[in-house]
Amino acid sequence: MSTVAFSHPQSDSRVTVAGVPSPALAALDAAGLPYRLIRHGPVRSLAEAAAARGVAVPDVVKTIVVRRGPDDHLFVLTPGDRVISWPKLRALLGVSRLSMPDAAAARAATGYERGTITPFGATTAWPVVADERLRGREITLGAGEHGIAVALDADAAITTLGATVADVTDPQPPA
């Protein structure tokens, strides 16, 4: 693992996705959010991602794309050791049905592949719901490319994203 600290705006030219500056890092820079860039090799699980990033599993935040309807999505940020509670999320949003798009639909909605999705720099600024357990800690998020993550203050990220904060998760069921 290599860690490089950036505040902004120098980073967008250093990390590229297919030769283009990373939209995620460019968005973080534009927002003025301080972050630490973490480069690591391939990972196959959340536990491997946590180890590669040098953090605990709950600090690896999963960005889940949820579909409310045709061309209507949102991002749900969950701690790595938790899963979306569909009843809680439906109640919060006042809807009776939600679904997760397949990989192709998630990419079309966000511009990112699964495993790299972040609300920062997504092709559409969908609403964000953040689980309340993220508050008050440093978290890591995908940065739009496999093997790259950012560590940043969760409260600053939540504020910048205009996220709704609520209890929307349950503990990860035992394997």
Side-chain angles (χ1 to χ4, degrees):
M1 171 183 74
S2 68
T3 301
V4 183
F6 293 118
S7 292
H8 62 87
Q10 68 219 24
S11 62
D12 59 338
S13 63
R14 296 179 185 220
V15 176
T16 61
V17 178
V20 176
S22 165
L25 300 183
L28 287 162
D29 292 341
L33 276 176
Y35 60 91
R36 188 169 28 91
L37 181 66
I38 304 168
R39 294 177 186 264
H40 56 77
V43 295
R44 294 180 306 247
S45 69
L46 215 53
E48 282 185 21
R53 296 175 185 182
V55 299
V57 170
D59 296 325
V60 176
V61 173
K62 298 179 285 188
T63 302
I64 311 296
V65 180
V66 174
R67 182 179 180 272
R68 284 191 281 201
D71 200 32
D72 184 15
H73 297 82
L74 63 131
F75 294 108
V76 180
L77 305 179
T78 68
D81 62 341
R82 299 185 68 85
V83 296
I84 292 175
S85 167
W86 295 104
K88 291 177 187 177
L89 186 58
R90 284 192 304 268
L92 175 71
L93 299 172
V95 299
S96 60
R97 181 170 160 74
L98 295 168
S99 63
M100 288 181 51
D102 65 21
R107 184 176 182 122
T110 68
Y112 296 121
E113 286 181 49
R114 277 201 181 146
T116 71
I117 295 173
T118 175
F120 291 103
T123 52
T124 301
W126 301 111
V128 178
V129 174
D131 187 73
E132 65 186 14
R133 290 157 191 85
L134 298 178
R135 285 185 171 158
R137 59 201 304 173
E138 182 181 73
I139 58 170
T140 64
L141 287 169
E145 181 179 356
H146 292 287
I148 296 182
V150 292
L152 69 165
D153 178 77
D155 295 328
I158 287 166
T159 298
T160 299
L161 293 166
T164 299
V165 179
D167 176 11
V168 293
T169 65
D170 289 326
Q172 177 78 41

